[in-house]
């Protein structure tokens, strides 16, 4: 998709829709929304599996990553335990020496975690720049695209609706965290003939 360079504002129309009066039309809309929701969860599953496979490939390319990631998690968990302990001490005692000792332990954990995270970022940068990982990442991306095409062909969605789902998934995939599965609540978006709307 080309980047917009003109200064003319773009208008995007989104319509809120009422349920169709014709029972057959209502059934068709409900079915499209349910299929769209199911298709979205299939795409989320594909993206989560792609990310997991990429993380595994990255760890295999650089074993030190697993050690650093595990240590960073251990330190994060220890910091959380220490913070809870400090809160408990503040509620039960007013002795400054006890608080100072607990705070010193927390500060030590923070310092070590900062060093580990710095080393972890450097290790990730090195492995991400390696030709081996790039080749594996490209292969994983192609596999995911093939799975998306197959899921699309089986979705039973009209082109306008599956494009809405895929666009939403592209936005979710840009996030740092793995996308989460969504529960169907009986509403959603559908698109026919270039017009779209939210029903529910």
């Amino acid at each position: 998709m080309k980047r917009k360079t003109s200064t003319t504002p773009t208008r995007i129309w989104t319509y809120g829709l009422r349920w169709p009066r014709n029972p057959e039309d209502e059934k068709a809309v409900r079915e499209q929304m349910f299929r769209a929701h199911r298709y979205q969860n299939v795409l989320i599953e594909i993206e989560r599996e792609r990310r997991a496979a990429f993380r595994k490939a990255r760890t295999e390319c650089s074993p030190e990553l697993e050690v650093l990631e595990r240590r960073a998690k251990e330190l994060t968990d220890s910091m959380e335990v220490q913070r809870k302990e400090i809160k408990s001490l503040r509620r039960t005692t007013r002795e400054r020496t006890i608080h100072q000792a607990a705070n010193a332990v927390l500060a030590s954990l923070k310092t070590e975690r900062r060093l580990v995270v710095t080393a972890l970022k450097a290790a990730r940068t090195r492995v991400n720049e390696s030709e081996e990982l790039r080749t594996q990442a490209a292969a994983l991306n192609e596999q995911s695209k093939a799975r998306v095409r197959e899921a699309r062909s089986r979705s039973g969605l009209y082109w306008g609706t599956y494009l809405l789902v895929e666009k939403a998934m592209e936005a979710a995939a840009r996030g740092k965290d793995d996308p989460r599965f969504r529960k169907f609540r009986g509403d959603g978006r559908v698109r026919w003939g270039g017009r779209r709307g939210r029903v529910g």
Side-chain angles (χ1 to χ4, degrees):
M1 179 181 288
K2 291 184 179 179
R3 185 172 65 89
K4 180 178 175 183
T5 55
S6 70
T7 57
T8 306
T10 302
R11 291 183 177 180
I12 300 173
W13 301 95
T14 302
Y15 301 93
L17 304 178
R18 295 177 180 173
W19 285 109
R21 294 180 180 177
N22 185 330
E24 291 183 4
D25 293 340
E26 180 180 344
K27 182 180 178 182
V29 171
R30 287 185 184 276
E31 184 178 357
Q32 279 291 293
M33 287 193 305
F34 176 73
R35 287 176 181 269
H37 169 78
R38 187 168 58 185
Y39 180 50
Q40 185 177 34
N41 275 341
V42 169
L43 296 187
I44 289 171
E45 180 182 5
I46 291 171
E47 174 62 15
R48 289 172 65 96
E49 290 177 358
R50 185 196 67 79
R51 290 183 179 211
F54 175 79
R55 287 191 287 262
K56 182 180 177 183
R58 186 173 61 186
T59 301
E60 290 173 352
C61 290
S62 177
E64 68 173 321
L65 272 179
E66 186 176 7
V67 176
L68 290 169
E69 286 172 349
R70 186 167 56 245
R71 184 57 184 155
K73 186 179 185 309
E74 289 172 355
L75 289 167
T76 301
D77 293 344
S78 297
M79 285 168 58
E80 187 60 30
V81 169
Q82 191 64 18
R83 286 190 181 104
K84 288 179 180 177
E85 186 176 332
I86 289 171
K87 284 182 181 179
S88 177
L89 286 171
R90 285 175 180 168
R91 282 195 299 267
T92 58
T93 179
R94 294 181 177 273
E95 294 182 31
R96 290 182 57 83
T97 53
I98 295 178
H99 295 167
Q100 287 173 352
N103 286 332
V105 171
L106 180 60
S108 175
L109 290 170
K110 284 182 179 178
T111 301
E112 185 180 354
R113 187 182 181 280
R114 196 177 302 118
L115 294 172
V116 171
V117 168
T118 300
L120 181 58
K121 287 180 180 178
R124 281 179 178 162
T125 300
R126 285 194 301 272
V127 72
N128 286 343
E129 293 173 352
S130 70
E131 191 62 33
E132 181 183 358
L133 184 61
R134 287 182 180 179
T135 301
Q136 291 189 47
L140 289 171
N141 290 340
E142 286 303 314
Q143 290 173 12
S144 293
K145 287 178 183 177
R147 291 181 65 192
V148 168
R149 288 193 294 270
E150 183 181 356
R152 181 193 300 152
S153 68
R154 295 181 177 181
S155 68
L157 293 170
Y158 294 109
W159 65 268
T161 302
Y162 72 64
L163 287 178
L164 284 176
V165 174
E166 290 173 5
K167 188 173 182 181
M169 189 61 224
E170 286 175 10
R174 286 194 289 268
K176 183 179 178 182
D177 297 329
D178 289 359
R180 295 182 179 180
F181 294 106
R182 298 176 181 238
K183 184 177 181 180
F184 184 57
R185 302 184 185 278
D187 61 352
R189 295 189 300 167
V190 292
R191 185 173 186 173
W192 275 287
R195 292 190 175 187
R196 64 182 176 182
R198 176 174 291 278
V199 183

